Amino acid sequence: MKAVHIVSGRGVPLRRSDVDTDQIIPAEWLKQVERTGFEKGLFSTWRDDRDFVMNDERFVGASILVAGPAFGVGSSREHAVWAIQQAGFDAVIAPSFSDIFRNNCTKNGLVPVVLPEAAVTRIWEAIEDTPATEITVDMERRTVEVPSIGLDEPFPMDDATRHRFLKGLDDIGITLVHADEIADFETSRPGWMPSN
């Protein structure tokens, strides 16, 4: 997992609530063995509608998804996070996330940012009016800034999760921080303890 200090870029206004993981990545995409190529399935059912926001060329290349409340509800499929990342998004801003989806984000390096609905609405309006609007998620300060509308909003994130992002640590990386201690223990393991 790469370290994340700042996510800065344009946004996509996904004005939908209660978006479940089956809408993010439909079940038929879960059959593949590889962990790549999921961006093609991202919101694939909705993409059949030419008016769907992800089909709007003004938002091509955006790196921040700005969604409605209860984003990522439903099943625990990690594929939803992979699809969002592989489509070029580094952060998702929403008023709320399902706990499982949020946890999958933090373990895979996709920044889940919780902001009040009023702030999300202001961001939607800004990027719909001016798609080039810059959004900055600052992990050090735990803030979202949209200078063009004077928005500088703090967001909650516990210290352990923030540390994980700042250092680029997935679950294995967190364990490997203690590699020297583990090696010392293994070399001094008492004979009566099993080695495997």
Side-chain angles (χ1 to χ4, degrees):
M1 184 167 124
K2 67 178 183 179
V4 179
H5 294 263
I6 299 281
V7 174
S8 190
R10 296 179 294 110
V12 172
L14 184 67
R15 282 188 181 254
R16 295 186 186 216
S17 306
D18 303 303
V19 175
D20 69 43
T21 52
D22 193 52
Q23 293 164 322
I24 297 170
I25 185 79
E28 62 262 19
W29 286 88
L30 311 185
K31 298 173 187 170
Q32 63 189 54
V33 180
E34 302 83 21
R35 193 178 156 173
T36 59
F38 290 104
E39 71 279 3
K40 297 173 194 144
L42 180 65
F43 304 123
S44 60
T45 304
W46 294 343
R47 286 187 136 174
D48 290 340
D49 175 0
R50 69 174 206 222
D51 294 328
F52 177 56
V53 70
M54 294 283 290
N55 294 329
D56 190 328
E57 290 183 9
R58 297 177 305 154
F59 303 115
V60 170
S63 59
I64 300 170
L65 186 62
V66 186
F71 188 82
V73 296
S75 73
S76 62
R77 64 185 68 162
E78 204 169 11
H79 305 72
V81 172
W82 301 342
I84 292 168
Q85 288 179 301
Q86 291 169 18
F89 294 101
D90 298 316
V92 179
I93 297 172
S96 60
F97 296 93
S98 84
D99 290 340
I100 294 172
F101 177 82
R102 184 187 177 285
N103 191 44
N104 284 338
C105 286
T106 64
K107 291 178 181 287
N108 285 280
L110 178 65
V111 180
V113 177
V114 175
L115 289 184
E117 282 192 58
V120 170
T121 300
R122 285 185 66 201
I123 296 171
W124 280 339
E125 291 168 352
I127 57 183
E128 286 168 346
D129 185 50
T130 308
T133 297
E134 282 291 315
I135 303 167
T136 299
V137 177
D138 187 327
M139 295 298 291
E140 293 276 357
R141 295 180 52 228
R142 290 180 261 214
T143 60
V144 172
E145 300 167 34
V146 184
S148 65
I149 59 171
L151 186 135
D152 189 349
E153 186 79 33
F155 63 87
M157 181 171 285
D158 63 272
D159 290 340
T161 301
R162 177 175 167 265
H163 176 78
R164 175 188 283 263
F165 278 109
L166 292 175
K167 298 297 183 183
L169 299 172
D170 58 13
D171 288 348
I172 293 170
I174 289 170
T175 301
L176 291 178
V177 166
H178 304 285
D180 291 341
E181 297 163 58
I182 293 168
D184 288 346
F185 173 80
E186 290 297 330
T187 58
S188 62
R189 176 193 300 270
W192 58 267
M193 291 182 77
S195 61
N196 291 337

